[in-house]
Amino acid sequence: MLLVTLLCLSHAVFFSQTSASTVGGWSSVSDPDELLAIRDLLYTVKSDVITLVTASGGCDGCTIEDPFAVISAEYQLVAGKNYRVHLGVGYTTTMKQFDIEFFVPLPVDGVAQDPTDFHMLTTTT
């Protein structure tokens, strides 16, 4: 019973922002707390994000110590979630901005999965 409850809770959290979306369509993330949750999710794979934005050529000097700011985001409900994120990397006076896309698989056995399949969409420094 406990396992079933945990699985239900993990899916409730994962799908909390999808109640107004349709499967396959893109929906904006407008809740500031959800934007912070996306930022925190990206912090779990920070080295991957820094590698992506540095490889784009738009973030010379970006380091693992630089903070992130999720400026805006949208998601697509699939077998997990695709995200498109307008991301700021660095401090306010030197912030570089990027549009990235990534995928977050569904939880496995109630355990949240790390983001994967990072792609650079644009660099808007």
Side-chain angles (χ1 to χ4, degrees), residues 79-97:
K81 280 188 182 177
N82 287 317
Y83 284 94
R84 291 181 184 154
V85 174
H86 187 67
L87 181 70
V89 177
Y91 297 92
T92 304
T93 57
T94 59
M95 183 177 284
K96 307 290 186 187
Q97 296 182 22

Side-chain angles (χ1 to χ4, degrees), residues 33-60:
D33 290 336
E34 291 177 7
L35 292 173
L36 287 174
I38 294 169
R39 186 215 49 202
D40 293 345
L41 181 64
L42 288 173
Y43 268 110
T44 66
V45 290
K46 191 171 186 179
S47 63
D48 294 333
V49 175
I50 293 296
T51 299
L52 176 70
V53 299
T54 301
S56 75
C59 202
D60 293 333

Side-chain angles (χ1 to χ4, degrees), residues 3 15 89:
L3 178 60
F15 292 111
V89 177

Side-chain angles (χ1 to χ4, degrees), residues 104-115:
V104 179
L106 290 170
V108 175
D109 295 329
V111 177
Q113 302 298 296
D114 287 338

Side-chain angles (χ1 to χ4, degrees), residues 2-11 105-113:
L2 177 60
L3 178 60
V4 171
T5 302
L6 289 175
L7 287 174
C8 289
L9 286 174
S10 70
H11 287 291
L106 290 170
V108 175
D109 295 329
V111 177
Q113 302 298 296

